[in-house]
Amino acid sequence: MLAVLRLSHRIFRDKRISTHLVLTARAFGADEFYYTGEHDAHLEDSVEKICTEWGGKICTEHIKNPWNFIEKWKKSGGTVVHLTMYGIDLSDKLVELKTKENLLVVVGGVKVPGMIYDLTDYNIAIGNQPHSEVAALAVFLDQISDSLARKKKFKNAKKVITPSEVGKAMEKIG
Amino acid sequence: MLAVLRLSHRIFRDKRISTHLVLTARAFGADEFYYTGEHDAHLEDSVEKICTEWGGKICTEHIKNPWNFIEKWKKSGGTVVHLTMYGIDLSDKLVELKTKENLLVVVGGVKVPGMIYDLTDYNIAIGNQPHSEVAALAVFLDQISDSLARKKKFKNAKKVITPSEVGKAMEKIG
């Protein structure tokens, strides 16, 4: 099980960033996407629409309390990784993290509470410079799957791309 | 030289995505960031501010005509890579791309004109699923540098993070 938890979503300001996060989660192999902050039916609908067209399924769910959620995840034997520019570099823990079976990847929104740093099992940086939670999530998920997750086929897809060096080739099914 | 060209920036809709793109470009080793679409002084200012605080320099410049720019880049011996979900996977060209010295990485905005697919030297996919131009750029830049670019130190930084397993450690200089 591979899940992503996005903290503190704000409908107006974060709409596109959170959409990019959930699409990145789906495309790079996550099974579930949770978010705290404001409940956003539009975000959930747009993910549903992508799954209808492009296949697969990623469970997208709003949760109220990240602390309880993270603690529950750990109690059931799972591992929690927080992506933060203050953490130690992914390269230092990559081999270890690849062995974890139930991984929850936490990505911050505005002002991540200090408690998150203590609660999670790992604070991992994708470089120690300010950049983007979308960038951090993508590189993290890609590396823990050795770039394999992004190449998998999705079930029940109505649109399938044939990779090509020039132009666009897409098959529409059904 | 490693540069990024972001197409069709729209001040209102793309403000945060384009900011994430330029910060990702900087953090993963790009020297220059160009963009077409609407000229956005605020975007340029926010990058300037990040460089003042976190060091280094990434030239950020608005350009009017991407076709001329891409053709000029190629004529001067450079290589142009377009990141697109329709392309062939990065893994298939990674070794070849690592040998290129002057690389321009083009990332799309809304509706990339078909001409871009023909003009560029490579159409490269980071997976053939819809996700995010920020995700695609991050994985691309990270992989062509073997994850080394994101670990480099920036010159003249006023803020420097000491990577740590727990909490936040940042040194303020000057």
Side-chain angles (χ1 to χ4, degrees), chain A residues 142-158:
Chain A
D142 198 49
Q143 293 214 357
I144 57 160
S145 86
D146 291 319
S147 299
L148 294 176
R150 70 172 196 247
K151 295 170 191 168
K152 78 170 177 187
K153 308 264 181 236
F154 283 85
K155 281 182 186 168
N156 304 317
K158 288 182 185 160

Side-chain angles (χ1 to χ4, degrees), chain A residues 34-156:
Chain A
Y34 300 93
Y35 67 103
T36 65
E38 296 173 0
H39 182 224
D40 188 347
H42 181 76
L43 174 70
E44 295 174 20
D45 287 349
S46 62
V47 178
E48 188 76 27
K49 201 177 152 197
I50 288 284
C51 291
T52 305
E53 287 185 352
W54 293 93
K57 185 156 178 56
I58 179 163
C59 146
T60 305
E61 194 181 324
H62 177 258
I63 56 167
K64 284 190 180 161
N65 186 322
W67 325 117
N68 291 354
F69 187 81
I70 288 171
E71 280 183 345
K72 209 173 149 191
W73 192 278
K74 287 167 71 177
K75 270 187 193 151
S76 68
T79 303
V80 184
V81 176
H82 173 216
L83 299 182
T84 163
M85 65 194 283
Y86 295 95
I88 54 170
D89 199 86
L90 175 57
S91 320
D92 299 332
K93 295 287 179 183
L94 187 58
V95 175
E96 194 174 318
L97 285 168
K98 279 183 186 174
T99 65
K100 308 295 181 188
E101 280 184 7
N102 288 306
L103 208 57
L104 176 67
V105 187
V106 183
V107 292
V110 272
K111 285 194 187 171
V112 175
M115 218 168 119
I116 289 284
Y117 291 81
D118 302 329
L119 255 186
T120 54
D121 297 302
Y122 297 87
N123 287 296
I124 295 291
I126 313 297
N128 298 107
Q129 293 292 323
H131 52 82
S132 163
E133 53 268 44
V134 182
L137 181 65
V139 171
F140 180 87
L141 294 180
D142 198 49
Q143 293 214 357
I144 57 160
S145 86
D146 291 319
S147 299
L148 294 176
R150 70 172 196 247
K151 295 170 191 168
K152 78 170 177 187
K153 308 264 181 236
F154 283 85
K155 281 182 186 168
N156 304 317

Side-chain angles (χ1 to χ4, degrees), chain B residues 82-93:
Chain B
H82 173 216
L83 298 183
T84 162
M85 65 192 283
Y86 295 95
I88 55 169
D89 200 86
L90 175 57
S91 319
D92 299 332
K93 295 287 180 184

Side-chain angles (χ1 to χ4, degrees), chain A residues 6 10 12-17 19-20 23-24 26-28 50 54-55 85-91 93 112 117-118 121-123 125-136 138-139 142-143 147 150-154 159 161-170, chain B residues 6 10 12-17 19-20 23-24 26-28 50 54-55 85-91 93 112 117-118 121-123 125-136 138-139 142-143 147 150-154 159 161-170:
Chain A
R6 193 287 200 261
R10 298 163 300 177
F12 180 70
R13 275 185 64 90
D14 297 327
K15 189 172 58 176
R16 294 193 63 213
I17 297 294
T19 303
H20 282 225
L23 295 184
T24 297
R26 172 186 174 275
F28 290 86
I50 288 284
W54 293 93
M85 65 194 283
Y86 295 95
I88 54 170
D89 199 86
L90 175 57
S91 320
K93 295 287 179 183
V112 175
Y117 291 81
D118 302 329
D121 297 302
Y122 297 87
N123 287 296
I126 313 297
N128 298 107
Q129 293 292 323
H131 52 82
S132 163
E133 53 268 44
V134 182
V139 171
D142 198 49
Q143 293 214 357
S147 299
R150 70 172 196 247
K151 295 170 191 168
K152 78 170 177 187
K153 308 264 181 236
F154 283 85
K159 292 180 175 177
I161 285 171
T162 307
S164 52
E165 300 211 25
V166 182
K168 302 180 183 182
M170 185 174 69
Chain B
R6 194 283 201 263
R10 298 163 301 177
F12 181 70
R13 274 186 63 90
D14 297 326
K15 190 172 56 175
R16 293 193 63 212
I17 296 294
T19 303
H20 283 224
L23 294 185
T24 297
R26 173 186 174 276
F28 290 86
I50 288 285
W54 294 92
M85 65 192 283
Y86 295 95
I88 55 169
D89 200 86
L90 175 57
S91 319
K93 295 287 180 184
V112 174
Y117 291 81
D118 301 330
D121 297 302
Y122 297 87
N123 286 295
I126 313 298
N128 298 109
Q129 294 292 325
H131 53 83
S132 163
E133 54 268 45
V134 182
V139 171
D142 198 49
Q143 293 215 357
S147 298
R150 70 172 195 248
K151 295 170 192 169
K152 79 171 177 186
K153 308 265 180 236
F154 284 85
K159 293 180 175 177
I161 285 172
T162 307
S164 53
E165 301 212 22
V166 181
K168 303 178 183 181
M170 186 174 67

